Amino acid sequence: MVHPAGDSVWETWESVFLKTTALGDRIIERTLSRGQHITRIAFVPRGGLYMANVLSRMLGLSGDQTISLGISKYDRERPMQPGNFKVGQLPDASQVAGQVVLLVDEVHDSGRTAEWARNALAELGASTVFMAVIHYKPGANATGYQPDFYIEATTGWVHYPWEPIDLLGSIYQAALGAQAK
């Protein structure tokens, strides 16, 4: 499905679930037909966390086969603008070396996060890295890399159902800041 140019996309929890399971079906169909076996799933928090839960279950991967890449370009003060990369916890080579990794995130926009994550996984020794997203923005892609699996192409801003929860996080962080003074 392609959304008209510039139209915002509004997702619900149900629509994200349905699109994630459709994505899982595509991944399963293609990897089985090509004799490929995904052995790890890596996700970019926060958007990829929900997807990793659903996809890991569909692929029969357990918790020890699920990898979090603690990277983010999200800026709470300017949520609709990309920030600089912040790097937190990353897996070690023993979790990744020789593995076929499915990297998941909710959206592939500029492609910078996917590029950074793919490079990090390759440096840790992954034999193959596939990328899967719900939304792909080909016009915003600054890397020339297209995800291996996606459900929808769009040029508009995508609103996910977890965004309203961010307001609570901002209030909590402000309260912590006020307590520290």
Side-chain angles (χ1 to χ4, degrees):
M1 175 182 208
V2 178
H3 287 276
D7 282 0
S8 289
V9 178
W10 294 86
E11 297 291 357
T12 65
W13 286 106
E14 181 179 13
S15 68
V16 170
F17 175 76
L18 292 173
K19 290 173 183 178
T20 302
T21 55
L23 187 63
D25 287 342
R26 288 183 187 180
I27 293 164
I28 290 167
E29 182 179 310
R30 188 179 322 158
T31 57
L32 284 176
S33 71
R34 295 181 181 176
Q36 298 163 323
H37 178 215
I38 294 171
T39 57
R40 297 286 184 272
I41 188 165
F43 64 93
V44 178
R46 298 174 314 172
L49 179 61
Y50 178 80
M51 293 174 59
N53 183 21
V54 174
L55 292 172
S56 65
R57 292 169 189 274
M58 290 182 73
L59 297 170
L61 300 174
S62 60
D64 63 326
Q65 295 169 301
T66 305
I67 301 166
S68 176
L69 299 173
I71 60 173
S72 179
K73 288 178 64 177
Y74 178 77
D75 183 342
R76 186 175 297 283
E77 301 301 317
R78 291 177 291 288
M80 294 181 75
Q81 298 174 359
N84 295 320
F85 273 110
K86 296 176 277 280
V87 180
Q89 185 177 10
L90 295 175
D92 62 42
S94 69
Q95 296 171 287
V96 178
Q99 302 298 319
V100 177
V101 180
L102 177 66
L103 173 62
V104 298
D105 202 1
E106 82 274 40
V107 64
H108 184 288
D109 199 321
S110 72
R112 300 277 187 231
T113 302
E115 179 180 60
W116 194 99
R118 285 177 62 91
N119 289 340
L121 291 165
E123 287 175 16
L124 290 168
S127 64
T128 305
V129 179
F130 295 112
M131 178 75 189
V133 297
I134 295 173
H135 296 100
Y136 170 48
K137 296 184 176 185
N141 190 350
T143 64
Y145 167 72
Q146 178 176 317
D148 301 286
F149 305 95
Y150 65 92
I151 295 297
E152 295 179 350
T154 184
T155 58
W157 187 261
V158 183
H159 300 273
Y160 293 98
W162 43 83
E163 289 174 5
I165 301 167
D166 286 337
L167 176 59
L168 298 173
S170 295
I171 293 168
Y172 178 69
Q173 292 297 321
L176 289 175
Q179 281 183 342
K181 292 180 182 182

